[in-house]
Amino acid sequence: MSFIAPAHPSIATFRDLIGAPHRLAIIGHYNPDGDAMGSALGMGHALRAMGRTVDVLMPNTPPAFLQWMPGYPDVVCADRSRDRAEQLLREADVVLCLDFNRVDRVGPLAEQLSLVRCRVLIDHHQHPDIDVAVGFSDTGSSSTSQMVFDIIDALGQAGRIGPDAATCLYTGIMTDTGSFRFPATTPHTHRVAARLLEMGARPHEIHAAVMDENTMHRVKLLGFMLSERLTVHEDLGTAVIALSRQDLDRHHFHPGDTEGFVNYGLSIRGVRLSAFFMERGDRIKISLRSVGDLPVNELLAEHFDGGGHINAAGGQSLTDLRSTIDRFMQVLPTFLEAHPA
Ligand SMILES: [Mn+2]
């Protein structure tokens, strides 16, 4: 059981912070996902319903499948409005940091965020490493969006969550739980989801907006990946997927197109680790997914400048695709032996 009760020591401090006439800003992480967007926008809607003025900003633009979310048109994305984003951080008295726990996760805004007087952390990732005035860190929570609901509820303000906030928070929970199937999905997660439905979230519309708005190019890239770029190492229980720059160009790649691709590896019988490699800019982006007690965040932290959750983590490499995969295959057996199934 994991939730933030009204007696949580940070609730009173947080209530005082948002009760005072401070300028508030909310920021999510670089390459915002459904939970970063959902928690930031959901908190934004709720705070506005409490009579507060608040700006929501992101280090860069979210993928198209999240741009339908209520409140998105007002989000300040630093890749398009860098000066405005920095100005909002400079002028804010309190900045809520949602769905990340290290200043460098906001990329180009890291320096400005480090200068902010008062930061509030609301996050569910492991190993927080950020100076904050108020911190809510709950690695047992399915999502930051679920934590935002819990915090608003603990403040006695759940009545302020209208259809827009409910829609955003539901989106964050749904995407971070893989549609309510990852292990962090608890009875409490479903209770929160049920209350969000009562508050106006419409699951069928949210699922359709997130899942059923693919471009034809993305679906064809998925087909190509599955038939041509997926290798299963049965002896290691590992699936490896690799997409080169040429592969992506050929399929008119847009950011967000490969979201969720890594999970297809895990759907294969006998696979307990799925690895996804993609050539992006001057580096190789790495996503790992696992089942059971296989801490892929540790593997990435040790070898590939990364981290995340036990079963879902990201990293990178500055060499080419071939050598990155070679290196991964080199360190893999030792890692698997240290964590037998
Ligand atoms: Mn999250």
Side-chain angles (χ1 to χ4, degrees), residues 33 35-36 99 124-125 142-144 176 309:
D33 58 7
D35 190 31
D99 201 38
H124 66 133
H125 295 90
S142 74
S143 52
T144 301
D176 252 29
H309 304 285

Side-chain angles (χ1 to χ4, degrees), residues 14-72:
F14 185 60
R15 179 184 284 119
D16 292 345
L17 271 184
I18 59 169
H22 292 310
R23 290 188 68 134
L24 303 175
I26 301 174
I27 186 167
H29 56 76
Y30 194 77
N31 289 341
D33 58 7
D35 190 31
M37 291 294 293
S39 58
L41 286 170
M43 181 61 100
H45 289 302
L47 286 172
R48 281 185 210 108
M50 295 176 210
R52 306 312 318 277
T53 306
V54 52
D55 292 292
V56 176
L57 43 146
M58 290 288 157
N60 60 341
T61 303
F65 70 87
L66 297 173
Q67 293 181 4
W68 60 271
M69 295 176 75
Y72 168 69

